[in-house]
Amino acid sequence: MRNHTIALLLSSPVITEGVKAVLRGITGVTFLEITPGAKEPHTASEKIAAAHPSLTIVDIFTAQTCQPDTPTLLLTSAQIPDTSTRCHTATVSIYEPAEALREKIRQLLQPSDREETSRGNDLSPREKEVILGIVKGLANKEIAAEMNVSVNTIMTHRRNIAAKLQIHSPAGLTIFAIATGMIKIDDVKI
């Protein structure tokens, strides 16, 4: 696991210290404590935006601080309506075991791994065949001949692949195919 910064924006110093104590078991994590100020509430948002933490942990009193590009974990002490949790990536109750909090944070700190493995699960077998043809360096016409379909069908598959994966280049598809295990790096001709 790479080094991560977790911003702690909690209303109580006791809860802040408790969260830090629970999370000491996770390696590669440093804490950025941000004290919410009643006089300057925007300062907390600015500090979080400037620090670019991997994760921000907030409670119900500081929950209005959401950075769109940073995962946010809402620490709750009571049941709250779903409308209060919409801008937060996940929630955890203070009554759950410490290991539940650690596991939730591990999951939130490794989103790219999950995205890579789940990304492409909605590809059809034919779309995967087209990707393999592209990785082999075949032209649309050659892929079509190999799959016994028209060139227009291949072009449609390529558009669907680009829409599903948000990858628009043969090099990007090659990296995707290697990263997801569709093809071994040794099979790629350079």
Side-chain angles (χ1 to χ4, degrees):
M1 180 184 280
R2 68 178 183 90
N3 290 333
H4 293 280
T5 300
I6 297 178
L8 299 175
L9 181 59
L10 300 167
S11 58
S12 164
V14 173
I15 294 175
T16 300
E17 290 303 316
V19 168
K20 284 171 44 180
V22 167
L23 300 181
R24 283 198 181 99
I26 300 177
T27 58
V29 170
T30 56
F31 299 105
L32 171 64
E33 290 183 53
I34 299 173
T35 306
K39 295 177 185 174
E40 301 174 26
H42 65 279
T43 305
S45 294
E46 290 171 358
K47 287 180 182 176
I48 291 171
H52 302 295
S54 304
L55 174 68
T56 302
I57 300 177
V58 297
D59 61 26
I60 196 66
F61 300 107
T62 60
Q64 71 278 5
T65 306
C66 285
Q67 295 296 321
D69 56 342
T70 303
T72 307
L73 176 67
L74 176 61
L75 193 62
T76 63
S77 58
Q79 188 171 8
I80 55 175
D82 290 341
T83 56
S84 301
T85 64
R86 283 199 182 127
C87 79
H88 304 290
T89 312
T91 60
V92 137
S93 170
I94 62 170
Y95 301 110
E96 291 184 42
E99 187 52 41
L101 176 62
R102 283 191 289 269
E103 185 57 34
K104 183 76 72 170
I105 288 174
R106 282 188 197 103
Q107 290 172 1
L108 291 171
L109 292 179
Q110 298 176 342
S112 60
D113 296 344
R114 273 198 327 276
E115 286 170 9
E116 278 306 314
T117 55
S118 66
R119 197 171 168 194
N121 283 347
D122 58 346
L123 291 173
S124 72
R126 298 296 267 182
E127 289 168 340
K128 290 178 182 178
E129 281 183 65
V130 170
I131 290 174
L132 292 176
I134 294 167
V135 168
K136 291 177 188 175
L138 301 177
N140 287 345
K141 189 174 181 180
E142 295 170 311
I143 297 169
E146 195 175 276
M147 293 175 61
N148 295 320
V149 296
S150 74
V151 175
N152 287 338
T153 301
I154 298 302
M155 291 169 57
T156 300
H157 282 313
R158 287 186 77 151
R159 274 193 298 275
N160 292 341
I161 291 165
K164 289 178 182 180
L165 300 178
Q166 295 300 310
I167 299 174
H168 304 282
S169 69
L173 288 173
T174 302
I175 292 168
F176 171 79
I178 292 168
T180 58
M182 288 176 66
I183 193 167
K184 292 183 180 131
I185 197 162
D186 299 333
D187 298 337
V188 178
K189 295 178 184 174
I190 299 175

